[in-house]
Amino acid sequence: PKDLAGERVLVTAGPTREELDPVRYLSNHSSGKMGYAIARAARRRGARVTLVTGPVCLAEPFGVETISVVSAAEMREAVVSRFAAASIVIKAAAVADFRPEARAGSKIKKSAGETVLRLARTGDILAEIGRLKNGQFIAGFAAETDDLGGNAVKKLKEKNLDMIVANDVTREGAGFAVDTNIVTMIFSDGRIEDMPLMDKETLADTILDRIAAMRRQSPNLASG
């Protein structure tokens, strides 16, 4: 179905990298597969799609405007600058929560004593666009290792989201870099939907099914 025709969908995917020195960086295990699947599915369903992606080893989706970034700061700039033009935002990227307080200009050499790494918080992109929201539908993701429901509901409320897709990355088939996922979808109206194990392509369409239905029920939300 072309049920997303007229929508402008902004999707984020993949990890970010926060450089320690010219050789090393902090990152995470995100492969970008979920976000890329959502971008492809949204385009098939008629939306104009922009994908902001961290460093991944995936082919650029056909027909999708793709913006490549590396750091959390670069992802924030790309998302915030495009947010006003979007009608649906799906934040599937695993953005680093911390960055080195200072980047070393040369390789940090191994020494006999302990090395202490001081970290600073990165900007919270999801919270920022939640504050800026003006009719957009915002869906976030929560990758958790404990108290899945509690942590996801807290994130949904604190960041002014319409929907959050939560998964326990310790479960087999639900972690990073695999082609399947097991998620719980939690909505701002209090509904909770537990999904079985499914491949990420199918899950992408399932997520978009729920978003499209909510958009039809709330015509006051901004449309592209």
Side-chain angles (χ1 to χ4, degrees):
K2 300 297 183 184
D3 53 352
L4 295 180
E7 300 281 12
R8 296 175 64 95
V9 179
L10 176 62
V11 183
T12 69
T16 61
R17 293 177 180 174
E18 311 304 321
E19 289 192 351
L20 295 170
D21 59 26
V23 177
R24 307 178 182 91
Y25 56 81
L26 298 177
S27 192
N28 58 65
H29 295 295
S30 175
S31 65
K33 289 182 177 182
M34 190 72 251
Y36 274 61
I38 292 169
R40 288 191 295 267
R43 185 201 64 81
R44 288 195 302 268
R45 295 169 75 142
R48 292 179 59 185
V49 183
T50 297
L51 173 65
V52 179
T53 176
V56 298
C57 297
L58 300 171
E60 185 174 315
F62 174 78
V64 171
E65 178 190 18
T66 303
I67 312 297
S68 295
V69 299
V70 176
S71 68
E74 289 174 355
M75 183 166 283
R76 178 210 167 269
E77 195 283 328
V79 170
V80 172
S81 65
R82 292 166 175 80
F83 179 68
S87 56
I88 297 171
V89 180
I90 305 173
K91 287 282 282 86
V95 181
D97 293 321
F98 301 95
R99 59 172 177 79
E101 195 172 80
R103 178 191 182 277
S106 57
K107 180 181 177 181
I108 301 170
K109 302 299 290 183
K110 188 183 298 184
S111 60
E114 291 185 352
T115 298
V116 176
L117 176 64
R118 296 185 62 86
L119 301 176
R121 290 292 304 268
T122 59
D124 191 328
I125 304 170
L126 199 52
E128 183 172 357
I129 64 173
R131 291 191 296 270
L132 294 172
K133 184 162 70 169
N134 184 27
Q136 292 95 339
F137 185 102
I138 304 178
F141 274 68
E144 303 290 347
T145 58
D146 55 79
D147 192 12
L148 181 68
N151 285 325
V153 169
K154 181 181 179 183
K155 186 173 183 179
L156 174 81
K157 292 179 178 179
E158 288 184 347
K159 303 191 180 183
N160 195 24
L161 308 182
D162 299 285
M163 171 186 181
I164 194 162
V165 182
N167 67 316
D168 181 344
V169 295
T170 66
R171 297 182 67 181
E172 185 176 354
F176 294 118
V178 293
D179 294 325
T180 57
N181 214 340
I182 307 168
V183 306
T184 297
M185 293 189 286
I186 304 173
F187 304 88
S188 56
D189 61 7
R191 288 180 296 120
I192 298 176
E193 189 172 357
D194 291 315
M195 306 302 297
L197 175 73
M198 65 178 69
D199 66 82
K200 289 178 178 177
E201 297 291 336
T202 302
L203 178 57
D205 270 312
T206 303
I207 291 168
L208 292 174
D209 287 344
R210 304 303 186 270
I211 293 175
M214 293 178 73
R215 295 285 286 164
R216 289 192 295 269
Q217 293 166 10
S218 301
N220 58 308
L221 292 174
S223 180

